[in-house]
Amino acid sequence: MPVIRLFSPAPSPGRAVLGELADAVTTLLALERGHCWVWWQQLEPDAFHRPEWHTDAAVPAPAGLVVCKESYGKTQVRELLRLVQDRLADLLGVAREEVYLTVQRAVDGELLVRDAVWSRDGKAPGTASAGDDERTGMTADAITDLVPIGQVHNERRELVDDDWGDVPSVIRLDGDRFTTDAVLGLDSFSHLEVVFRFHRVPPDKVQEGARHPRNNPAWPSAGIFAQRGKNRPNRIGVSRCRLVKTDGLDVHVVGLDAVDGTPVLDIKPYLRQFGPRGAVVQPDWVDDLMRNYY
Protein backbone atom coordinates (compact mmCIF):
# COMPACT_ATOMS: atom_id res chain seq x y z
CA MET A 1 0.00 0.00 0.00
CA PRO A 2 1.83 3.15 -1.16
CA VAL A 3 2.04 6.15 1.14
CA ILE A 4 2.79 9.49 -0.54
CA ARG A 5 4.08 12.54 1.37
CA LEU A 6 4.14 15.81 -0.55
CA PHE A 7 6.01 18.95 0.56
CA SER A 8 5.42 22.48 -0.72
CA PRO A 9 5.30 26.09 0.51
CA ALA A 10 1.79 26.26 -0.99
CA PRO A 11 -1.39 25.37 0.92
CA SER A 12 -2.92 21.95 0.36
CA PRO A 13 -4.92 21.74 -2.89
CA GLY A 14 -7.69 20.06 -0.93
CA ARG A 15 -8.96 16.65 0.00
CA ALA A 16 -10.65 16.01 -3.35
CA VAL A 17 -7.44 16.59 -5.32
CA LEU A 18 -5.38 14.37 -3.03
CA GLY A 19 -8.10 11.72 -3.18
CA GLU A 20 -8.05 11.79 -6.97
CA LEU A 21 -4.31 11.22 -6.91
CA ALA A 22 -4.72 8.28 -4.51
CA ASP A 23 -7.45 6.73 -6.70
CA ALA A 24 -5.20 6.98 -9.77
CA VAL A 25 -2.45 5.12 -7.89
CA THR A 26 -4.76 2.31 -6.76
CA THR A 27 -6.08 1.92 -10.30
CA LEU A 28 -2.55 1.69 -11.70
CA LEU A 29 -1.53 -0.96 -9.17
CA ALA A 30 -4.90 -2.78 -9.24
CA LEU A 31 -5.35 -2.24 -5.50
CA GLU A 32 -8.53 -1.77 -3.52
CA ARG A 33 -9.68 1.83 -3.36
CA GLY A 34 -8.43 3.38 -0.13
CA HIS A 35 -5.16 1.44 -0.20
CA CYS A 36 -3.09 4.53 -0.96
CA TRP A 37 -2.62 7.37 1.49
CA VAL A 38 -1.53 10.90 0.61
CA TRP A 39 -0.24 13.62 2.94
CA TRP A 40 0.38 17.26 2.07
CA GLN A 41 2.74 19.25 4.28
CA GLN A 42 2.92 23.01 3.84
CA LEU A 43 6.40 24.30 4.68
CA GLU A 44 7.21 27.65 6.24
CA PRO A 45 9.70 29.86 4.30
CA ASP A 46 12.45 29.30 6.86
CA ALA A 47 12.00 25.51 6.82
CA PHE A 48 13.48 24.72 3.41
CA HIS A 49 16.17 25.60 0.91
CA ARG A 50 14.85 25.31 -2.63
CA PRO A 51 15.59 28.60 -4.39
CA GLU A 52 12.67 28.52 -6.83
CA TRP A 53 10.26 28.13 -3.92
CA HIS A 54 11.35 31.52 -2.60
CA THR A 55 10.13 33.32 -5.72
CA ASP A 56 6.62 34.35 -6.63
CA ALA A 57 7.13 33.77 -10.35
CA ALA A 58 5.10 30.57 -10.56
CA VAL A 59 3.01 28.09 -8.64
CA PRO A 60 5.50 25.97 -6.66
CA ALA A 61 5.71 22.36 -7.78
CA PRO A 62 5.83 19.95 -4.81
CA ALA A 63 8.55 17.51 -3.88
CA GLY A 64 7.47 14.11 -2.67
CA LEU A 65 8.42 10.91 -0.87
CA VAL A 66 6.73 7.68 -1.97
CA VAL A 67 6.86 4.77 0.46
CA CYS A 68 6.04 1.36 -1.00
CA LYS A 69 6.73 -2.32 -0.43
CA GLU A 70 10.20 -3.66 -1.05
CA SER A 71 8.63 -6.31 -3.31
CA TYR A 72 7.52 -3.76 -5.92
CA GLY A 73 9.62 -4.30 -9.03
CA LYS A 74 11.56 -1.59 -10.83
CA THR A 75 8.92 -1.38 -13.53
CA GLN A 76 6.16 -0.88 -10.97
CA VAL A 77 8.11 1.81 -9.15
CA ARG A 78 8.91 3.59 -12.41
CA GLU A 79 5.27 3.56 -13.48
CA LEU A 80 4.19 4.70 -10.03
CA LEU A 81 6.60 7.66 -10.07
CA ARG A 82 5.56 8.69 -13.56
CA LEU A 83 1.89 8.47 -12.69
CA VAL A 84 2.29 10.60 -9.55
CA GLN A 85 4.38 13.15 -11.45
CA ASP A 86 1.89 13.38 -14.32
CA ARG A 87 -1.18 13.56 -12.09
CA LEU A 88 0.34 16.25 -9.85
CA ALA A 89 1.26 18.31 -12.90
CA ASP A 90 -2.32 18.04 -14.23
CA LEU A 91 -4.10 18.53 -10.92
CA LEU A 92 -1.97 21.43 -9.69
CA GLY A 93 -1.17 23.11 -12.99
CA VAL A 94 2.58 22.93 -12.43
CA ALA A 95 5.46 22.01 -14.73
CA ARG A 96 5.87 18.23 -14.89
CA GLU A 97 9.66 18.40 -14.82
CA GLU A 98 9.57 20.48 -11.62
CA VAL A 99 7.83 17.74 -9.63
CA TYR A 100 10.62 15.90 -7.77
CA LEU A 101 9.95 12.48 -6.24
CA THR A 102 11.94 9.84 -4.44
CA VAL A 103 11.08 6.33 -3.25
CA GLN A 104 11.59 4.64 0.08
CA ARG A 105 10.94 0.90 0.17
CA ALA A 106 9.42 -0.75 3.20
CA VAL A 107 11.48 -3.84 4.04
CA ASP A 108 9.81 -7.22 4.40
CA GLY A 109 8.51 -7.64 7.95
CA GLU A 110 8.77 -3.93 8.81
CA LEU A 111 5.46 -2.61 7.51
CA LEU A 112 2.52 -2.58 9.95
CA VAL A 113 -0.85 -1.75 8.36
CA ARG A 114 -4.27 -2.38 9.88
CA ASP A 115 -2.74 -4.45 12.68
CA ALA A 116 -0.99 -6.74 10.21
CA VAL A 117 2.76 -6.98 9.61
CA TRP A 118 3.33 -7.42 5.89
CA SER A 119 5.50 -10.39 5.00
CA ARG A 120 6.11 -12.17 1.73
CA ASP A 121 6.65 -15.54 3.38
CA GLY A 122 4.61 -15.17 6.52
CA LYS A 123 7.70 -15.64 8.73
CA ALA A 124 8.02 -12.08 9.94
CA PRO A 125 7.00 -11.47 13.55
CA GLY A 126 3.51 -10.27 14.22
CA THR A 127 0.18 -11.20 12.69
CA ALA A 128 -0.03 -12.43 9.12
CA SER A 129 -0.85 -9.98 6.35
CA ALA A 130 -4.48 -9.48 5.51
CA GLY A 131 -5.47 -12.30 3.22
CA ASP A 132 -2.61 -14.62 4.23
CA ASP A 133 -3.35 -18.30 4.64
CA GLU A 134 -0.96 -19.89 7.10
CA ARG A 135 -2.14 -23.38 6.12
CA THR A 136 -1.08 -23.08 2.49
CA GLY A 137 1.71 -20.49 2.74
CA MET A 138 -0.14 -18.22 0.33
CA THR A 139 0.27 -14.56 1.22
CA ALA A 140 -1.46 -11.33 0.35
CA ASP A 141 1.61 -10.46 -1.70
CA ALA A 142 0.88 -13.24 -4.20
CA ILE A 143 -0.33 -10.89 -6.96
CA THR A 144 1.50 -7.71 -5.96
CA ASP A 145 3.56 -7.80 -9.15
CA LEU A 146 0.50 -7.57 -11.40
CA VAL A 147 0.68 -4.15 -13.05
CA PRO A 148 -2.00 -3.17 -15.59
CA ILE A 149 -0.77 -3.12 -19.18
CA GLY A 150 -3.43 -0.64 -20.25
CA GLN A 151 -6.93 0.64 -19.69
CA VAL A 152 -10.37 0.23 -21.26
CA HIS A 153 -11.98 3.28 -22.85
CA ASN A 154 -15.66 3.16 -23.86
CA GLU A 155 -19.03 4.75 -23.18
CA ARG A 156 -20.16 2.19 -20.59
CA ARG A 157 -19.71 3.74 -17.17
CA GLU A 158 -22.59 2.14 -15.30
CA LEU A 159 -22.24 -1.35 -13.83
CA VAL A 160 -25.01 -2.86 -15.94
CA ASP A 161 -24.96 -6.61 -16.56
CA ASP A 162 -26.48 -6.99 -20.06
CA ASP A 163 -26.28 -5.77 -23.66
CA TRP A 164 -22.53 -5.97 -24.22
CA GLY A 165 -22.58 -7.48 -27.70
CA ASP A 166 -22.35 -4.23 -29.69
CA VAL A 167 -20.32 -2.14 -27.26
CA PRO A 168 -17.13 -0.77 -28.92
CA SER A 169 -14.08 -0.32 -26.72
CA VAL A 170 -10.47 0.72 -27.05
CA ILE A 171 -7.83 -0.98 -24.94
CA ARG A 172 -5.12 1.67 -24.71
CA LEU A 173 -1.78 0.09 -23.86
CA ASP A 174 0.73 1.87 -21.66
CA GLY A 175 3.01 3.83 -23.99
CA ASP A 176 5.67 4.18 -21.31
CA ARG A 177 6.12 0.40 -21.18
CA PHE A 178 5.28 -0.84 -24.67
CA THR A 179 5.99 -0.09 -28.30
CA THR A 180 3.97 -1.29 -31.27
CA ASP A 181 6.14 -4.42 -31.30
CA ALA A 182 3.94 -5.66 -28.44
CA VAL A 183 0.93 -5.99 -30.79
CA LEU A 184 2.80 -7.08 -33.91
CA GLY A 185 0.72 -9.75 -35.66
CA LEU A 186 -2.26 -9.36 -33.34
CA ASP A 187 -4.46 -8.09 -36.17
CA SER A 188 -4.20 -11.48 -37.89
CA PHE A 189 -6.57 -12.89 -35.24
CA SER A 190 -10.31 -12.30 -35.17
CA HIS A 191 -10.89 -12.61 -31.43
CA LEU A 192 -9.08 -11.89 -28.17
CA GLU A 193 -9.15 -13.02 -24.59
CA VAL A 194 -8.80 -10.08 -22.21
CA VAL A 195 -7.90 -10.41 -18.53
CA PHE A 196 -8.86 -7.44 -16.38
CA ARG A 197 -9.61 -6.28 -12.85
CA PHE A 198 -13.10 -5.51 -11.53
CA HIS A 199 -11.67 -2.35 -10.00
CA ARG A 200 -15.02 -0.87 -9.01
CA VAL A 201 -16.05 -3.76 -6.79
CA PRO A 202 -15.55 -2.60 -3.16
CA PRO A 203 -13.65 -5.05 -0.94
CA ASP A 204 -16.64 -5.42 1.37
CA LYS A 205 -18.73 -6.69 -1.57
CA VAL A 206 -16.40 -9.58 -2.38
CA GLN A 207 -18.09 -12.95 -1.86
CA GLU A 208 -16.37 -16.20 -1.01
CA GLY A 209 -19.31 -18.55 -0.48
CA ALA A 210 -22.53 -19.25 -2.35
CA ARG A 211 -25.32 -16.96 -3.51
CA HIS A 212 -28.12 -16.78 -6.06
CA PRO A 213 -26.60 -15.50 -9.34
CA ARG A 214 -27.51 -11.82 -9.68
CA ASN A 215 -29.35 -12.31 -6.38
CA ASN A 216 -32.23 -13.82 -8.34
CA PRO A 217 -34.08 -16.30 -6.05
CA ALA A 218 -35.49 -18.03 -9.14
CA TRP A 219 -32.00 -19.38 -9.85
CA PRO A 220 -30.36 -21.90 -7.52
CA SER A 221 -27.66 -20.85 -5.11
CA ALA A 222 -24.18 -21.40 -6.57
CA GLY A 223 -20.68 -21.03 -5.16
CA ILE A 224 -18.63 -18.05 -6.26
CA PHE A 225 -16.43 -20.40 -8.33
CA ALA A 226 -19.53 -21.90 -9.99
CA GLN A 227 -20.54 -18.58 -11.55
CA ARG A 228 -18.89 -15.65 -13.30
CA GLY A 229 -20.07 -12.79 -11.08
CA LYS A 230 -17.79 -9.79 -10.65
CA ASN A 231 -17.70 -9.92 -6.82
CA ARG A 232 -14.94 -12.52 -6.89
CA PRO A 233 -12.18 -13.01 -4.29
CA ASN A 234 -9.45 -11.52 -6.52
CA ARG A 235 -11.90 -9.50 -8.68
CA ILE A 236 -10.32 -10.78 -11.91
CA GLY A 237 -12.41 -10.96 -15.07
CA VAL A 238 -11.78 -12.84 -18.31
CA SER A 239 -13.64 -11.92 -21.48
CA ARG A 240 -13.59 -12.94 -25.13
CA CYS A 241 -14.28 -10.22 -27.66
CA ARG A 242 -13.96 -9.50 -31.36
CA LEU A 243 -10.89 -7.62 -32.56
CA VAL A 244 -11.71 -4.79 -34.96
CA LYS A 245 -8.24 -3.35 -35.55
CA THR A 246 -5.03 -2.19 -33.93
CA ASP A 247 -3.96 1.43 -34.25
CA GLY A 248 -0.56 1.98 -32.71
CA LEU A 249 -1.04 0.99 -29.09
CA ASP A 250 -4.83 1.24 -29.30
CA VAL A 251 -6.56 -2.14 -29.61
CA HIS A 252 -10.13 -1.68 -30.90
CA VAL A 253 -12.61 -4.39 -29.90
CA VAL A 254 -16.35 -5.07 -29.78
CA GLY A 255 -18.17 -7.04 -27.10
CA LEU A 256 -15.71 -6.58 -24.23
CA ASP A 257 -17.79 -6.61 -21.04
CA ALA A 258 -15.68 -4.13 -19.09
CA VAL A 259 -16.63 -0.58 -18.15
CA ASP A 260 -14.69 2.57 -18.94
CA GLY A 261 -11.49 2.87 -16.91
CA THR A 262 -11.08 -0.87 -16.29
CA PRO A 263 -7.40 -1.81 -15.78
CA VAL A 264 -6.35 -4.52 -18.24
CA LEU A 265 -3.90 -7.15 -16.98
CA ASP A 266 -3.32 -9.15 -20.17
CA ILE A 267 -4.39 -9.62 -23.79
CA LYS A 268 -4.15 -12.96 -25.57
CA PRO A 269 -5.24 -13.97 -29.07
CA TYR A 270 -8.06 -16.51 -28.96
CA LEU A 271 -7.09 -19.86 -30.48
CA ARG A 272 -9.62 -22.48 -31.52
CA GLN A 273 -7.35 -25.13 -30.01
CA PHE A 274 -7.89 -23.62 -26.57
CA GLY A 275 -11.64 -24.06 -26.83
CA PRO A 276 -13.32 -26.89 -24.89
CA ARG A 277 -12.96 -30.46 -26.12
CA GLY A 278 -16.16 -32.45 -26.28
CA ALA A 279 -19.68 -31.41 -25.36
CA VAL A 280 -20.20 -28.36 -23.15
CA VAL A 281 -22.61 -28.92 -20.27
CA GLN A 282 -24.14 -26.14 -18.17
CA PRO A 283 -27.28 -25.74 -16.03
CA ASP A 284 -30.47 -24.22 -17.44
CA TRP A 285 -30.23 -21.08 -15.30
CA VAL A 286 -27.07 -20.06 -17.20
CA ASP A 287 -29.04 -19.87 -20.46
CA ASP A 288 -31.58 -17.61 -18.75
CA LEU A 289 -28.86 -15.39 -17.30
CA MET A 290 -26.99 -15.03 -20.59
CA ARG A 291 -30.04 -14.49 -22.82
CA ASN A 292 -29.50 -10.72 -23.09
CA TYR A 293 -25.84 -10.51 -22.07
CA TYR A 294 -24.46 -10.11 -25.59
Side-chain angles (χ1 to χ4, degrees), residues 242-264:
R242 180 168 61 87
L243 174 62
V244 177
K245 66 176 182 178
T246 60
D247 180 12
L249 292 177
D250 285 353
V251 179
H252 295 253
V253 299
V254 170
L256 174 61
D257 54 341
V259 297
D260 183 66
T262 295
V264 175

Side-chain angles (χ1 to χ4, degrees), residues 111-119 121-135 138-140:
L111 175 63
L112 175 66
V113 178
R114 295 189 174 96
D115 199 34
V117 177
W118 165 76
S119 173
D121 57 13
K123 296 179 180 178
T127 58
S129 300
D132 288 2
D133 188 336
E134 295 179 348
R135 297 167 301 169
M138 297 178 64
T139 71

Side-chain angles (χ1 to χ4, degrees), residues 15 49 125 136-137 163 173 176 184 219 287 293:
R15 181 178 176 182
H49 175 71
T136 64
D163 302 315
L173 299 178
D176 288 333
L184 182 64
W219 295 331
D287 295 327
Y293 196 81

